[in-house]
Amino acid sequence: MKDSQARTIYLKDYQAPDYLVDRTDLTFDLDPHATLVTSRLKVRRNPAVARAEETLPPLWLDGSDLELLSVSVDGELLPAQRYQEKPGGLALSVDRAAFELEVQTRIAPEANTSLEGLYLSNGMYCTQCEAEGFRKITFYPDRPDVMSIFTTTIVAPATYPVLLSNGNRIDSTTTEDGRLRVTWEDPFAKPSYLFALVAGDLQHVEDHFTTCSGRTVKLQLFTEARNIGKCAHAMASLKHAMRWDEEVYGREYDLDIFMIVAVDHFNMGAMENKGLNIFNSACVLASPETATDAAFQRIEAIVAHEYFHNWSGNRVTCRDWFQLSLKEGFTVFRDAEFSADMNSRAVKRIEDVILLRTSQFAEDAGPMSHPVRPDSYMEISNFYTLTVYEKGAEVVRMIHTLLGEEAFRRGSDLYFERHDGCAVTCEDFVVAMEDANSADLKQFRRWYSQAGTPVLEVTDAYSEANGEYSLTIRQHTPATPGQNDKLPLHIPVKIGLLDESGSPLPLDASGREEMVLHLTEAEQTFTFNGIASRPLPSLLRGFSAPVKLRYGYSSAQLQFLMRHDSDPFNRWDACQRLALDSLCKLQQQYRAGAALESPDTLIEGFAAVLDDVTLDPALVAKMLSLPSAQELAEQEGDIDAAAIIAVRVFARDAIAKALEARFLARYRALDRRKPYTPAAEDIAERSLKNTCLTYLCAAGNADSLTLAKTQFERGENMTDTAAALAALVEFGPEEQSENFLETFYQQWQQDTQVVETWFGLQSGSAKFGALERVQKLMSHPAFDVKNPNKVRAVVAGFAMRNFTQFHREDGSGYNFLADQVIALDKLNPQIAARLVTPLTRWRKYRAEESGQIRVALQRISDSGKLSSDLYEVVSKSLGQD
């Protein structure tokens, strides 16, 4: 099954490039079937690796799916014996240390379904070059440590009036035959992965931003005409991000223009190409009528993320792809802090931790487990993972926690100053933090090289006679593939202590009520004096480290923390722990064949949360949400999907019926009709209102379904409309649900993003997302298997978000996913490799399900020659590599 070109690349084998490219001049003569690309490179021997009186090594140029037309050096056409095409690129014999190289290639954008390199999306040309897409455009040293000044000329028919690339536009003409010719120059050296080109019949909205130094920057957002009314939120988000980056990090934008382009066909969320960000349409286009609150917040975060990359990724970039988290982890941390400042800080932190616990922890415990900085990879696209992004951000957050805000800013200032215009490593980032603050982070660096999720076991002791309270913390990181023995990490554990009334206790002579414990050994004891009575510890506040915490809280103690902890994250976490305990007990009853008992302790805790009108409604909504099936699965040694499904439904319905009056009262208090805004306060109210609506419908009262129907028919904004439709589909009579779904589709069938919402609502529904419906959706006229967003909405919606239907006892869900992965691998290997994830943890399930999942995975393995993307994931999952 192995791709003949698949090979493992190791960090230890890194070597600096033999040659550098000072300037890159590109000319594109666009044609769907035969685009002509001419590259002119000013190449010189890298002085860092050159040796006196040496024989010049060959120049290696990466290339894939290219038709080579000619190669010239200093204006002379090279004879065939001076170069050789090989799998993966072109090797040139070199007889001088500096020269100008010209290469002509031909490519077919219309046939490029991988969506890497230059391709067509709805008749629009666009590029995606990270990580290794540029080699599908022309032969080039396609590696991040080769940085060059780019000039790009685009020639196209007049039917493509908008021709864009990186930097500032320096020329625009019309050729004698009526074609348009536009030239762009980017004055900042960049690696090829940051190159971008867009050509199409597009419209744009325009605004301006005045930087802190008084410069005026033109802001433009391009999209197809039908979407031009959905750009305002992204533009506002961009301006907020630009101002925030100046105020918090002192980073000013450096070009005269900043552009964003919305593209329907895109493998990722967005791409930070210098000065010309290319976005998946779903991550940039929004209006109250067509996008939910979650979409508005996601757009705000992604726009900020890509903009922040201008410094943390573009001006300072990665030396090699093993350092991917250097730019991504740092930038995810920056965008998370931005989102926290723009919205509810507590809720943002909760959402990030939910993602970590349900998905990144699973990745850490699975066959693709790898450190934040991997030691090796076969296909770099497989390492755009939650470990690199989200855990990488947690590593940066821990440095922020250990050093403090002001010290962290000093470190980031030094990092940008020291490495501006350079390609660097994760060590360079940490060293800047150390040097700026005279800090020692030597042990902390293990977070970059050691895989797995640490487990903290906490015990305590109290001496009433001495007024002394102690916490003993033991750390242990389980073995992961290739790493059996783990060293102790430097872990920041933020804590507080509460007295019997819930008031915070002073932790030392200074009177501070919260502190960060520096856990550096396998076992450490921390002692606090002057404690008058036994306290209750509030541990790992704000989730100060990406670890699993074990402490024997009783149900009563968890309820106490829910009511009194001053740390909002830990109030939520106590609620989640209480829910997990209740659901785990129900699973034991289910597996024993006993009658399920009402989770009265959990109901009591939820009632107290509902009754507390002083809490942020967004936090209340999060506290009232039961742990997902995926999170429950992570608590089990052998996952019993049937038990998880049964007890979640039982607990949900029991809570809904017991607290129906309370849910109704909160719903009515929040059901205020007013103009839509994506302001944090309004989002918070809608989130709690719709949480209450879901519980009301789960209680089975016909009047509650009437409430949902009324909210759906009002159609005041997509947040409320989609929430009402989801409740009607999940809890209403089947025939009526079908009618509501059809009504929704007929109203929104012309809007791509709303149709994707419609797809996802059905494929992810426990009731309506049966395999037969999902298969029917795949034959729907609006479905396009070449569009990653449609695939994610339907296939991933079923396999990754529909725990109930995907884990059907007959194994048909697993077989369906295997079929889709095999087919997609021939079209878009990146999407196929990501889609196979639900099958990779087959060992974690109970024997029957485990066997069925493994059979499906083996069938993918046996299906023929796989792409290197898919081969790596499947082989590691089966233990064949």
Side-chain angles (χ1 to χ4, degrees), residues 430-477:
V430 179
V431 167
M433 290 291 166
E434 289 178 318
D435 290 352
N437 298 288
S438 300
D440 181 3
L441 297 173
K442 183 178 179 181
Q443 181 182 356
F444 182 83
R445 297 180 204 189
R446 291 173 184 167
W447 279 101
Y448 284 99
S449 58
Q450 194 161 282
T453 303
V455 178
L456 302 188
E457 301 279 353
V458 182
T459 56
D460 58 355
Y462 176 67
S463 170
E464 187 174 4
N466 299 328
E468 186 178 275
Y469 177 75
S470 63
L471 285 170
T472 298
I473 309 178
R474 301 174 183 86
Q475 62 164 298
H476 166 70
T477 304

Side-chain angles (χ1 to χ4, degrees), residues 630 763-764 769 774 791-807 813-814 816-818 821 835-839 845:
Q630 289 81 358
S763 65
V774 172
V791 173
R792 283 187 279 258
V794 176
V795 182
F798 172 73
M800 298 181 181
R801 296 189 295 276
N802 192 342
F803 200 83
T804 301
Q805 298 290 349
F806 180 63
H807 291 285
Y814 314 139
F816 166 77
L817 181 58
V821 168
L835 205 60
V836 77
T837 300
L839 302 178
Y845 288 82

Side-chain angles (χ1 to χ4, degrees), residues 585-596 640 642-644 646-647:
K585 289 176 184 176
L586 286 171
Q587 284 191 76
Q588 293 172 2
Q589 296 168 11
Y590 180 90
R591 285 193 287 267
L596 299 183
D640 185 340
I644 288 172
V647 303

